[in-house]
Amino acid sequence: MKIAADDPSSTAPGAAPIRPIVIAANRLPVMRDNTTENGWAPSPGGLVRALLPMLRSSGGTWVGWTGTPDDPTEPFTVDGVDCYPIDISAKEVELYYEGFSNDGLWPLYHDALRESTYDIAQWEAYQRVNERFAITLANIAPPNAIVWIHDYQLQLVPAMLRQQRPDITIGFFLHIPFPPYELFSRLPWRNEIIDGLLGCDLIGFQRPKGATNFAACASQLRKSDIGENVIHNAGHRTELGVFPISIDFAEVEEMAAGRATRKLTSQIRTRLGDPEVILLGVDRLDYTKGIGLRLRAFGALLESGELDPERCVMVQVATPTREAVEHYQDERREIERLVGEINGRFSRIGLPVIHYLYQTLSYDDLIALYRAGDVMLVTPFRDGMNLVAKEYAAAHIDGDGVLVLSEFAGAADELTDAVLVNPHDDRALQESIVTAVEMHRHERRARMAGLREQVKRMDVQGWADRFYAALARAAENQ
Ligand code: ADQ
């Protein structure tokens, strides 16, 4: 089976499909906000920004959780989008969300970096919540609608929905990697997950490897018939495609050019003591992101004298996430221990070598920080895509800055002008940081121009347009 990323020229930008669209994702595109008139504000994030224009133009609908447990909420409309909340109890948050999704599937789908929990009560809650989504979708989707389901929390929904509503066209996009058979086959409910996804007309992946891994699992576990980019199973065809997700390049660029951002960027440099080089890391505090690795590499370079603590400062922003899950508590302890150890050894009074923020920042603050960063360190062990790498390039309207990027992030397929590195190799990671810090201005600018060109050409609007176009074609081929 041969799978390549969809051709960017295959859809007119912004082309809205004519059929009604329903989106299903774990979370609704809005958050509760008591400062607004209707009590809701749009959730931050590229996905929402990419999909909202299309939803508005087609009178679209979104099904998802409000983010608050035990929160039965009537359907409501925000900004032209009809929202259908799915009520999830506190116990289900623990079992379906923190448990099966984030302590079972998440580690398994990321190279089994941590031991997964396989627990029958969690699996039953996952089935129950997926069923609730499927029933709601079946009840509200107009005839012949297009339903686009997102991510690993909802992998059973496609088949459940198809059974109730065969008239609907069903697409699914997996935001994280799909693991190889050798790992996936550990899952006690592996057949159910494959069958769930094979209810789709189209499954989208970030990288070609995700699609080939899925096809291999369907072939081995379900004896499905595998063709070129298509799987035949029980009389139904499911197409597979590759759609690397992206960001709203124009928006980030515009924010980065604003006066307020420029002012904030220069304030950040001053507050950091006007160092020659600011190294930057921005991640959810997740063990997949390789935060500890890069702290250790930075510490080793200060120790060996290859980096000078009087010239270089590191800023690491780690967003709180999944704090109820034990692996995340362990990871946080280890990162904070490392920050303390390195700062204790190399800081001077009033001038720490690592500035560590365990906080969620506003998008404006984040963009100002990206602009201030001379070297961006994105070093995950495994990552579906990594939008931070793309945001960094879009924010660098000055045409300067170096991105050090793990080969194991999906973004490495496209961002070939980054300094690509295998983060498992300690010495290679240290060398790539030194290369980035010492890189000549001409090379920095040439590489940054390449990065920016790539992100601009393949932005998130194009991603959504290409997925919809492929889904419409898949429905015609059915
Ligand atoms: P994530 O694992 O969350 O996403 P990523 O793609 O880097 O990872 O997206 C993180 C987003 O959160 C970025 O847009 C960033 O701006 C924002 N963010 C990070 N730290 C922040 C902070 N401290 N304050 C505010 N905002 C912050 C999953 C997959 C990825 C895939 C995306 C999209 O794991 O591989 O790229 O979905 O498909």
mmCIF file of all heavy atoms in Angstrom, residues 45-46 106 110 151 173 175-176 206 245 282-284 289 317-319 359-363 366 370 383-388 391, ligand 1:
data_model
loop_
_atom_site.group_PDB
_atom_site.id
_atom_site.type_symbol
_atom_site.label_atom_id
_atom_site.label_comp_id
_atom_site.label_asym_id
_atom_site.label_seq_id
_atom_site.Cartn_x
_atom_site.Cartn_y
_atom_site.Cartn_z
ATOM 1 N N GLY A 45 -7.272 27.456 19.988
ATOM 2 C CA GLY A 45 -6.770 26.270 19.270
ATOM 3 C C GLY A 45 -7.083 26.326 17.791
ATOM 4 O O GLY A 45 -8.135 26.822 17.378
ATOM 5 N N GLY A 46 -6.143 25.808 17.022
ATOM 6 C CA GLY A 46 -6.212 25.852 15.556
ATOM 7 C C GLY A 46 -7.383 25.079 14.992
ATOM 8 O O GLY A 46 -7.976 25.474 13.995
ATOM 9 N N TRP A 106 -3.284 6.487 25.093
ATOM 10 C CA TRP A 106 -2.240 7.509 24.846
ATOM 11 C C TRP A 106 -0.824 6.918 24.899
ATOM 12 O O TRP A 106 -0.059 7.055 23.943
ATOM 13 C CB TRP A 106 -2.415 8.698 25.796
ATOM 14 C CG TRP A 106 -1.397 9.765 25.601
ATOM 15 C CD1 TRP A 106 -0.186 9.869 26.240
ATOM 16 C CD2 TRP A 106 -1.460 10.884 24.703
ATOM 17 N NE1 TRP A 106 0.496 10.976 25.799
ATOM 18 C CE2 TRP A 106 -0.263 11.615 24.856
ATOM 19 C CE3 TRP A 106 -2.413 11.328 23.783
ATOM 20 C CZ2 TRP A 106 0.018 12.773 24.124
ATOM 21 C CZ3 TRP A 106 -2.144 12.485 23.062
ATOM 22 C CH2 TRP A 106 -0.946 13.194 23.230
ATOM 23 N N HIS A 110 1.817 6.107 21.660
ATOM 24 C CA HIS A 110 3.093 6.839 21.610
ATOM 25 C C HIS A 110 4.224 5.896 21.998
ATOM 26 O O HIS A 110 4.882 6.070 23.022
ATOM 27 C CB HIS A 110 3.049 8.067 22.539
ATOM 28 C CG HIS A 110 2.178 9.166 22.034
ATOM 29 N ND1 HIS A 110 0.834 9.239 22.310
ATOM 30 C CD2 HIS A 110 2.445 10.249 21.252
ATOM 31 C CE1 HIS A 110 0.317 10.310 21.719
ATOM 32 N NE2 HIS A 110 1.277 10.937 21.077
ATOM 33 N N ASP A 151 -10.280 12.148 16.779
ATOM 34 C CA ASP A 151 -9.298 11.669 17.748
ATOM 35 C C ASP A 151 -9.623 10.406 18.549
ATOM 36 O O ASP A 151 -10.726 9.879 18.520
ATOM 37 C CB ASP A 151 -8.889 12.826 18.673
ATOM 38 C CG ASP A 151 -7.363 12.905 18.750
ATOM 39 O OD1 ASP A 151 -6.690 12.083 18.108
ATOM 40 O OD2 ASP A 151 -6.845 13.781 19.463
ATOM 41 N N PHE A 173 -10.465 11.808 11.883
ATOM 42 C CA PHE A 173 -9.053 12.220 11.845
ATOM 43 C C PHE A 173 -8.398 11.890 13.170
ATOM 44 O O PHE A 173 -8.889 12.263 14.239
ATOM 45 C CB PHE A 173 -8.910 13.715 11.542
ATOM 46 C CG PHE A 173 -7.459 14.111 11.403
ATOM 47 C CD1 PHE A 173 -6.755 13.789 10.245
ATOM 48 C CD2 PHE A 173 -6.792 14.750 12.427
ATOM 49 C CE1 PHE A 173 -5.406 14.101 10.117
ATOM 50 C CE2 PHE A 173 -5.439 15.069 12.309
ATOM 51 C CZ PHE A 173 -4.750 14.746 11.156
ATOM 52 N N HIS A 175 -5.428 12.552 15.579
ATOM 53 C CA HIS A 175 -4.427 13.608 15.801
ATOM 54 C C HIS A 175 -3.100 13.060 16.326
ATOM 55 O O HIS A 175 -2.102 13.774 16.327
ATOM 56 C CB HIS A 175 -4.991 14.650 16.782
ATOM 57 C CG HIS A 175 -6.100 15.457 16.180
ATOM 58 N ND1 HIS A 175 -5.939 16.755 15.764
ATOM 59 C CD2 HIS A 175 -7.387 15.141 15.892
ATOM 60 C CE1 HIS A 175 -7.077 17.201 15.267
ATOM 61 N NE2 HIS A 175 -7.976 16.241 15.337
ATOM 62 N N ILE A 176 -3.115 11.836 16.798
ATOM 63 C CA ILE A 176 -1.885 11.249 17.368
ATOM 64 C C ILE A 176 -1.420 10.109 16.444
ATOM 65 O O ILE A 176 -2.137 9.741 15.518
ATOM 66 C CB ILE A 176 -2.127 10.781 18.828
ATOM 67 C CG1 ILE A 176 -3.130 9.627 18.899
ATOM 68 C CG2 ILE A 176 -2.618 11.962 19.680
ATOM 69 C CD1 ILE A 176 -3.321 9.058 20.310
ATOM 70 N N GLN A 206 -1.865 11.744 10.404
ATOM 71 C CA GLN A 206 -0.883 12.832 10.292
ATOM 72 C C GLN A 206 0.258 12.462 9.336
ATOM 73 O O GLN A 206 0.777 13.299 8.609
ATOM 74 C CB GLN A 206 -0.262 13.135 11.667
ATOM 75 C CG GLN A 206 -1.235 13.521 12.760
ATOM 76 C CD GLN A 206 -1.509 15.004 12.806
ATOM 77 O OE1 GLN A 206 -1.421 15.706 11.799
ATOM 78 N NE2 GLN A 206 -1.851 15.505 13.982
ATOM 79 N N ILE A 245 -1.730 18.097 9.893
ATOM 80 C CA ILE A 245 -2.450 19.274 10.400
ATOM 81 C C ILE A 245 -1.495 20.456 10.520
ATOM 82 O O ILE A 245 -0.275 20.296 10.585
ATOM 83 C CB ILE A 245 -3.121 18.956 11.759
ATOM 84 C CG1 ILE A 245 -4.209 19.980 12.085
ATOM 85 C CG2 ILE A 245 -2.110 18.872 12.881
ATOM 86 C CD1 ILE A 245 -5.105 19.576 13.257
ATOM 87 N N VAL A 282 8.240 24.961 24.730
ATOM 88 C CA VAL A 282 6.823 25.205 25.051
ATOM 89 C C VAL A 282 6.058 23.910 24.783
ATOM 90 O O VAL A 282 6.006 23.451 23.635
ATOM 91 C CB VAL A 282 6.228 26.340 24.170
ATOM 92 C CG1 VAL A 282 4.718 26.447 24.385
ATOM 93 C CG2 VAL A 282 6.898 27.674 24.455
ATOM 94 N N ASP A 283 5.513 23.320 25.818
ATOM 95 C CA ASP A 283 4.821 22.039 25.642
ATOM 96 C C ASP A 283 3.743 21.872 26.701
ATOM 97 O O ASP A 283 3.832 22.475 27.774
ATOM 98 C CB ASP A 283 5.779 20.859 25.894
ATOM 99 C CG ASP A 283 7.132 21.020 25.254
ATOM 100 O OD1 ASP A 283 7.961 21.819 25.775
ATOM 101 O OD2 ASP A 283 7.378 20.353 24.264
ATOM 102 N N ARG A 284 2.768 20.987 26.429
ATOM 103 C CA ARG A 284 1.992 20.464 27.546
ATOM 104 C C ARG A 284 2.960 19.618 28.366
ATOM 105 O O ARG A 284 3.878 19.001 27.792
ATOM 106 C CB ARG A 284 0.854 19.567 27.044
ATOM 107 C CG ARG A 284 -0.378 20.317 26.571
ATOM 108 C CD ARG A 284 -1.533 19.370 26.249
ATOM 109 N NE ARG A 284 -1.138 18.319 25.326
ATOM 110 C CZ ARG A 284 -0.888 17.070 25.684
ATOM 111 N NH1 ARG A 284 -1.007 16.687 26.951
ATOM 112 N NH2 ARG A 284 -0.533 16.164 24.799
ATOM 113 N N LYS A 289 6.794 14.514 25.360
ATOM 114 C CA LYS A 289 7.374 15.719 24.753
ATOM 115 C C LYS A 289 8.886 15.848 24.938
ATOM 116 O O LYS A 289 9.512 16.747 24.391
ATOM 117 C CB LYS A 289 6.685 16.983 25.297
ATOM 118 C CG LYS A 289 5.163 17.016 25.084
ATOM 119 C CD LYS A 289 4.777 17.258 23.637
ATOM 120 C CE LYS A 289 3.263 17.362 23.453
ATOM 121 N NZ LYS A 289 2.851 17.499 22.057
ATOM 122 N N VAL A 317 8.259 26.567 29.158
ATOM 123 C CA VAL A 317 6.866 26.699 29.567
ATOM 124 C C VAL A 317 6.224 25.323 29.464
ATOM 125 O O VAL A 317 6.288 24.684 28.411
ATOM 126 C CB VAL A 317 6.087 27.689 28.666
ATOM 127 C CG1 VAL A 317 4.683 27.894 29.209
ATOM 128 C CG2 VAL A 317 6.819 29.003 28.557
ATOM 129 N N ALA A 318 5.649 24.864 30.568
ATOM 130 C CA ALA A 318 5.016 23.549 30.586
ATOM 131 C C ALA A 318 3.560 23.742 31.020
ATOM 132 O O ALA A 318 3.294 24.169 32.136
ATOM 133 C CB ALA A 318 5.745 22.628 31.548
ATOM 134 N N THR A 319 2.640 23.442 30.115
ATOM 135 C CA THR A 319 1.219 23.632 30.419
ATOM 136 C C THR A 319 0.707 22.497 31.288
ATOM 137 O O THR A 319 0.905 21.333 30.941
ATOM 138 C CB THR A 319 0.394 23.609 29.111
ATOM 139 O OG1 THR A 319 1.095 24.359 28.144
ATOM 140 C CG2 THR A 319 -0.984 24.142 29.305
ATOM 141 N N GLN A 359 2.444 26.761 33.662
ATOM 142 C CA GLN A 359 1.290 27.653 33.469
ATOM 143 C C GLN A 359 0.737 27.538 32.052
ATOM 144 O O GLN A 359 1.464 27.194 31.136
ATOM 145 C CB GLN A 359 1.744 29.119 33.638
ATOM 146 C CG GLN A 359 2.118 29.498 35.039
ATOM 147 C CD GLN A 359 2.917 30.792 35.089
ATOM 148 O OE1 GLN A 359 2.782 31.655 34.220
ATOM 149 N NE2 GLN A 359 3.760 30.927 36.088
ATOM 150 N N THR A 360 -0.528 27.920 31.918
ATOM 151 C CA THR A 360 -1.105 28.077 30.586
ATOM 152 C C THR A 360 -1.037 29.563 30.247
ATOM 153 O O THR A 360 -1.513 30.390 31.019
ATOM 154 C CB THR A 360 -2.578 27.612 30.588
ATOM 155 O OG1 THR A 360 -2.593 26.239 30.983
ATOM 156 C CG2 THR A 360 -3.208 27.755 29.222
ATOM 157 N N LEU A 361 -0.418 29.891 29.136
ATOM 158 C CA LEU A 361 -0.297 31.300 28.773
ATOM 159 C C LEU A 361 -1.370 31.677 27.761
ATOM 160 O O LEU A 361 -1.940 30.806 27.095
ATOM 161 C CB LEU A 361 1.079 31.565 28.136
ATOM 162 C CG LEU A 361 2.309 31.221 28.969
ATOM 163 C CD1 LEU A 361 3.580 31.621 28.225
ATOM 164 C CD2 LEU A 361 2.265 31.922 30.324
ATOM 165 N N SER A 362 -1.628 32.975 27.631
ATOM 166 C CA SER A 362 -2.529 33.407 26.560
ATOM 167 C C SER A 362 -1.780 33.260 25.231
ATOM 168 O O SER A 362 -0.545 33.204 25.211
ATOM 169 C CB SER A 362 -2.916 34.867 26.767
ATOM 170 O OG SER A 362 -1.783 35.669 26.515
ATOM 171 N N TYR A 363 -2.546 33.191 24.145
ATOM 172 C CA TYR A 363 -1.913 33.044 22.830
ATOM 173 C C TYR A 363 -1.009 34.246 22.538
ATOM 174 O O TYR A 363 0.074 34.086 21.976
ATOM 175 C CB TYR A 363 -3.000 32.878 21.758
ATOM 176 C CG TYR A 363 -2.572 32.024 20.577
ATOM 177 C CD1 TYR A 363 -1.941 30.799 20.751
ATOM 178 C CD2 TYR A 363 -2.831 32.443 19.268
ATOM 179 C CE1 TYR A 363 -1.568 30.011 19.670
ATOM 180 C CE2 TYR A 363 -2.461 31.665 18.178
ATOM 181 C CZ TYR A 363 -1.831 30.447 18.381
ATOM 182 O OH TYR A 363 -1.457 29.671 17.300
ATOM 183 N N LEU A 366 2.226 33.795 24.316
ATOM 184 C CA LEU A 366 2.975 32.706 23.691
ATOM 185 C C LEU A 366 3.691 33.205 22.428
ATOM 186 O O LEU A 366 4.868 32.903 22.198
ATOM 187 C CB LEU A 366 1.980 31.604 23.332
ATOM 188 C CG LEU A 366 2.466 30.173 23.343
ATOM 189 C CD1 LEU A 366 3.100 29.823 24.671
ATOM 190 C CD2 LEU A 366 1.296 29.244 23.072
ATOM 191 N N TYR A 370 7.621 33.238 21.591
ATOM 192 C CA TYR A 370 8.213 32.627 20.379
ATOM 193 C C TYR A 370 9.162 33.626 19.704
ATOM 194 O O TYR A 370 10.253 33.289 19.288
ATOM 195 C CB TYR A 370 7.135 32.247 19.357
ATOM 196 C CG TYR A 370 6.288 31.038 19.696
ATOM 197 C CD1 TYR A 370 4.919 31.025 19.392
ATOM 198 C CD2 TYR A 370 6.835 29.891 20.266
ATOM 199 C CE1 TYR A 370 4.126 29.924 19.666
ATOM 200 C CE2 TYR A 370 6.038 28.781 20.539
ATOM 201 C CZ TYR A 370 4.692 28.804 20.237
ATOM 202 O OH TYR A 370 3.909 27.707 20.501
ATOM 203 N N ASP A 383 5.364 12.306 18.580
ATOM 204 C CA ASP A 383 4.332 13.350 18.536
ATOM 205 C C ASP A 383 3.587 13.225 17.209
ATOM 206 O O ASP A 383 4.234 13.042 16.176
ATOM 207 C CB ASP A 383 5.017 14.731 18.601
ATOM 208 C CG ASP A 383 4.199 15.767 19.353
ATOM 209 O OD1 ASP A 383 2.964 15.640 19.366
ATOM 210 O OD2 ASP A 383 4.801 16.692 19.910
ATOM 211 N N GLY A 384 2.246 13.299 17.252
ATOM 212 C CA GLY A 384 1.467 13.184 16.018
ATOM 213 C C GLY A 384 1.965 14.186 14.992
ATOM 214 O O GLY A 384 2.348 13.843 13.875
ATOM 215 N N MET A 385 1.939 15.477 15.378
ATOM 216 C CA MET A 385 2.454 16.526 14.498
ATOM 217 C C MET A 385 3.418 17.421 15.271
ATOM 218 O O MET A 385 4.594 17.453 15.039
ATOM 219 C CB MET A 385 1.273 17.343 13.932
ATOM 220 C CG MET A 385 1.653 18.528 13.057
ATOM 221 S SD MET A 385 2.722 18.110 11.665
ATOM 222 C CE MET A 385 1.823 16.814 10.854
ATOM 223 N N ASN A 386 2.924 18.208 16.192
ATOM 224 C CA ASN A 386 3.547 19.269 17.001
ATOM 225 C C ASN A 386 3.338 20.621 16.338
ATOM 226 O O ASN A 386 4.056 21.019 15.406
ATOM 227 C CB ASN A 386 5.037 19.057 17.292
ATOM 228 C CG ASN A 386 5.453 19.983 18.437
ATOM 229 O OD1 ASN A 386 5.495 21.199 18.271
ATOM 230 N ND2 ASN A 386 5.676 19.415 19.605
ATOM 231 N N LEU A 387 2.351 21.317 16.861
ATOM 232 C CA LEU A 387 1.984 22.628 16.311
ATOM 233 C C LEU A 387 2.891 23.735 16.818
ATOM 234 O O LEU A 387 3.023 24.770 16.180
ATOM 235 C CB LEU A 387 0.524 22.934 16.652
ATOM 236 C CG LEU A 387 -0.487 21.969 16.039
ATOM 237 C CD1 LEU A 387 -1.907 22.347 16.434
ATOM 238 C CD2 LEU A 387 -0.368 21.928 14.519
ATOM 239 N N VAL A 388 3.530 23.510 17.973
ATOM 240 C CA VAL A 388 4.436 24.523 18.523
ATOM 241 C C VAL A 388 5.545 24.829 17.511
ATOM 242 O O VAL A 388 5.897 25.995 17.287
ATOM 243 C CB VAL A 388 5.016 24.027 19.872
ATOM 244 C CG1 VAL A 388 6.204 24.851 20.305
ATOM 245 C CG2 VAL A 388 3.927 24.064 20.946
ATOM 246 N N GLU A 391 4.059 27.050 14.918
ATOM 247 C CA GLU A 391 3.766 28.391 15.454
ATOM 248 C C GLU A 391 5.053 29.204 15.590
ATOM 249 O O GLU A 391 5.072 30.410 15.311
ATOM 250 C CB GLU A 391 3.086 28.264 16.830
ATOM 251 C CG GLU A 391 1.656 27.763 16.740
ATOM 252 C CD GLU A 391 1.062 27.291 18.075
ATOM 253 O OE1 GLU A 391 1.791 27.253 19.083
ATOM 254 O OE2 GLU A 391 -0.121 26.941 18.097
HETATM 255 P P1 ADQ B 1 -0.746 18.411 21.668
HETATM 256 O O1 ADQ B 1 -0.086 17.185 22.183
HETATM 257 O O2 ADQ B 1 -1.476 19.225 22.644
HETATM 258 O O3 ADQ B 1 -1.725 18.060 20.448
HETATM 259 P P2 ADQ B 1 0.756 20.440 19.988
HETATM 260 O O4 ADQ B 1 0.528 20.047 18.578
HETATM 261 O O5 ADQ B 1 2.131 20.937 20.229
HETATM 262 O O6 ADQ B 1 0.500 19.265 21.024
HETATM 263 O O7 ADQ B 1 -0.271 21.573 20.342
HETATM 264 C C1 ADQ B 1 -0.192 22.259 21.547
HETATM 265 C C2 ADQ B 1 -0.984 23.553 21.435
HETATM 266 O O8 ADQ B 1 -1.111 24.069 22.750
HETATM 267 C C3 ADQ B 1 -0.274 24.599 20.603
HETATM 268 O O9 ADQ B 1 -1.186 25.194 19.720
HETATM 269 C C4 ADQ B 1 0.269 25.600 21.628
HETATM 270 O O10 ADQ B 1 0.175 26.933 21.204
HETATM 271 C C5 ADQ B 1 -0.628 25.401 22.819
HETATM 272 N N1 ADQ B 1 0.161 25.549 24.061
HETATM 273 C C6 ADQ B 1 1.212 24.834 24.459
HETATM 274 N N2 ADQ B 1 1.683 25.274 25.651
HETATM 275 C C7 ADQ B 1 0.912 26.310 26.005
HETATM 276 C C8 ADQ B 1 0.880 27.196 27.133
HETATM 277 N N3 ADQ B 1 1.733 27.107 28.151
HETATM 278 N N4 ADQ B 1 -0.065 28.132 27.160
HETATM 279 C C9 ADQ B 1 -0.955 28.232 26.139
HETATM 280 N N5 ADQ B 1 -0.980 27.445 25.069
HETATM 281 C C10 ADQ B 1 -0.070 26.485 24.996
HETATM 282 C C11 ADQ B 1 -2.183 16.867 19.772
HETATM 283 C C12 ADQ B 1 -1.071 15.952 19.270
HETATM 284 C C13 ADQ B 1 -0.118 16.729 18.397
HETATM 285 C C14 ADQ B 1 -0.882 17.390 17.248
HETATM 286 C C15 ADQ B 1 -2.084 18.154 17.762
HETATM 287 C C16 ADQ B 1 -2.974 18.648 16.626
HETATM 288 O O11 ADQ B 1 -0.387 15.346 20.353
HETATM 289 O O12 ADQ B 1 0.905 15.883 17.882
HETATM 290 O O13 ADQ B 1 -0.018 18.283 16.572
HETATM 291 O O14 ADQ B 1 -2.886 17.355 18.605
HETATM 292 O O15 ADQ B 1 -3.357 17.608 15.791
#
